[in-house]
Amino acid sequence: MKKSLPILFAFFVMGFCDIVGISSDYVQRSFGWSPVMTGFVPSLVFIWFLFLGIPVGNQMNKWGRKNTVLLSMGITLVGMLLPLLTYNSATCMLAYALLGIGNAILQVSLNPLLNNVVSDSRLLTSSLTAGQVIKAISSLAGPEIVLLAVAFGGEERWYYCFPILGLITLLSALWLMLTPIQRETPSTGQQVSLSSSFALLKDKTILLLFLGIFFIVGVDVATNFISSKLMAMRFGWTESQVKFAPQTYFLCRTIGAFMGVFALARISSIRYFRVNILCCIASLLIMTAWHDATVNMVCIGAVGFFASSVFSIIYAMALQAKPDKANQISGLMITAVAGGGVVTPAIGFAISSVGIVGGIMVTLCCVLYLTYCAFFVKSTSS
């Protein structure tokens, strides 16, 4: 427990990238960006998962998982300090980029690091879900941290949230640094390269799970991104009201992930996956057809609740499929997290073209693939 606590706390740092939802609204007003341009803000965070996932996963054999986690936190800390030095469009974009780079490296290294202290493989999915609970709490707290910065510095000083996040990152890094964790034994006799990692996609199960990660992150980022815009465009909610939409989403995602920790330790993960993803479809269809503020808020929360454990389930299934290549699998799966950066520009275009329903339809398309994945992937878990 003593060794797992600093690892689990690091999942709180992992949740910082979710501030792009609420902070993108402030950036848009500060610099007069269009909805399409604003849609690229999450891309600055999530595109790095595409470029860094596999290389970092391969290099982690040399660096060690713990050292790689500490590197990610150092990069995040630098990004959080930049807007304080000079606040303009360029430094904000660079801060988001460094946040994304740090987060990409963190996600590649932190999930496997749990394997160094959790010896029972049967608890892997449950342990990863526990980490997602911490991440969900961070995502829930993110908007409040931004609003706290606004309360002290005014709307034009919303970026005061960055040093708060930087301080938390520093404390997490120091805690982990001072905690002795036995380094994993690197795999020997294997050629680890970019091509060998991509070659894993020749396995149909790994390919399905890779795309599953791509689309579940797309659902997560899309719902966070679209929730406040949905309530503002449909029901004319004010800036102080729309903050409750992403907060509701993150609260329900936190509750769902917390319940998943216990549920996944007792029942089949694939069965849990199937039931929850079908409920996600129902929630999005109701959101599309029913123009009622209360119903729409319930649907936003329902998507967060039912999708909360899907990432952990897919990730654990991938590790269990090829446990001897955990670092490569981790890098490959985290590369798929770039899906979040691809989905939001698509939503921006859809909203500009056909309105808010277009944004919901993009999210629904992601869920439909996950439904296919849930019913056709071969699971090695019981």
Side-chain angles (χ1 to χ4, degrees):
M1 180 64 68
K2 183 183 295 186
K3 294 181 179 180
S4 63
L5 283 177
I7 299 175
L8 290 174
F9 183 74
F11 277 91
F12 194 87
V13 178
M14 191 185 291
F16 290 169
C17 61
D18 288 321
I19 68 164
V20 295
I22 185 171
S23 64
S24 64
D25 296 332
Y26 289 103
V27 173
Q28 182 178 17
R29 289 193 292 271
S30 293
F31 305 114
W33 290 351
S34 67
V36 173
M37 180 64 181
T38 307
F40 280 95
V41 171
S43 299
L44 292 171
V45 175
F46 291 98
I47 194 65
W48 302 105
F49 292 86
L50 177 63
F51 296 118
L52 297 178
I54 292 176
V56 171
N58 293 343
Q59 285 297 116
M60 196 159 53
N61 288 316
K62 299 179 181 179
W63 299 340
R65 294 168 183 172
K66 178 180 175 180
N67 291 336
T68 308
V69 170
L70 293 173
L71 172 65
S72 73
M73 292 184 177
I75 294 172
T76 301
L77 185 59
V78 172
M80 297 299 92
L81 295 177
L82 276 180
L84 287 181
L85 302 177
T86 305
Y87 178 64
N88 55 45
S89 181
T91 55
C92 280
M93 294 177 76
L94 185 56
Y96 280 123
L98 289 174
L99 176 62
I101 291 170
N103 206 273
I105 298 174
L106 183 61
Q107 293 217 32
V108 173
S109 53
L110 189 59
N111 288 298
L113 186 59
L114 267 177
N115 286 337
N116 293 34
V117 297
V118 179
S119 57
D120 190 346
S121 60
R122 295 175 302 175
L123 297 177
L124 177 61
T125 306
S126 182
S127 299
L128 290 171
T129 306
Q132 292 301 309
V133 172
I134 307 298
K135 181 177 181 291
I137 293 173
S138 173
S139 300
L140 182 64
E144 293 300 327
I145 294 175
V146 174
L147 293 172
L148 178 65
V150 171
F152 279 96
E155 184 173 317
E156 68 280 1
R157 298 289 187 271
W158 66 270
Y159 58 90
Y160 282 1
C161 66
F162 286 149
I164 300 175
L165 302 179
L167 177 61
I168 297 172
T169 302
L170 178 61
L171 293 175
S172 177
L174 290 174
W175 189 7
L176 182 62
M177 188 183 302
L178 296 174
T179 303
I181 297 175
Q182 184 176 356
R183 178 167 174 166
E184 67 282 355
T185 303
S187 300
T188 57
Q190 295 181 356
Q191 183 179 2
V192 179
S193 64
L194 192 66
S195 59
S196 66
S197 296
F198 276 113
L200 294 172
L201 294 176
K202 294 178 181 178
D203 185 309
K204 183 179 179 181
T205 298
I206 298 298
L207 178 59
L208 282 172
L209 295 173
F210 174 84
L211 293 174
I213 293 289
F214 184 96
F215 285 110
I216 186 56
V217 174
V219 171
D220 185 29
V221 176
T223 310
N224 175 26
F225 181 74
I226 202 175
S227 58
S228 58
K229 296 169 179 59
L230 171 70
M231 304 311 292
M233 294 175 69
R234 269 193 177 174
F235 309 108
W237 281 23
T238 63
E239 293 177 10
S240 61
Q241 290 175 310
V242 296
K243 70 175 185 179
F244 293 109
Q247 286 178 326
T248 298
Y249 171 74
F250 288 126
L251 175 61
C252 292
R253 194 179 75 173
T254 304
I255 295 171
F258 181 76
M259 292 180 63
V261 172
F262 303 100
L264 289 167
R266 291 169 172 79
I267 65 176
S268 165
S269 59
I270 195 67
R271 185 183 306 167
Y272 195 75
F273 184 7
R274 289 170 179 171
V275 170
N276 280 272
I277 207 64
L278 289 175
C279 292
C280 267
I281 292 177
S283 301
L284 287 169
L285 290 176
I286 294 172
M287 187 191 303
T288 303
W290 203 329
H291 290 220
D292 179 84
T294 302
V295 172
N296 281 194
M297 285 288 285
V298 170
C299 290
I300 289 169
V303 173
F305 181 89
F306 293 118
S308 59
S309 299
V310 173
F311 180 93
S312 301
I313 292 171
I314 295 175
Y315 189 94
M317 288 170 67
L319 291 184
Q320 291 162 359
K322 292 185 179 293
D324 59 319
K325 298 182 179 180
N327 285 355
Q328 283 182 280
I329 290 290
S330 178
L332 192 63
M333 293 297 115
I334 297 306
T335 298
V337 174
V342 174
V343 169
T344 48
I347 289 178
F349 282 114
I351 292 175
S352 297
S353 301
V354 298
I356 197 66
V357 172
I360 300 174
M361 288 296 102
V362 173
T363 311
L364 181 60
C365 289
C366 296
V367 175
L368 289 176
Y369 173 81
L370 291 167
T371 307
Y372 172 81
C373 184
F375 284 91
F376 289 95
V377 71
K378 294 180 180 179
S379 173
T380 58
S381 60
S382 59

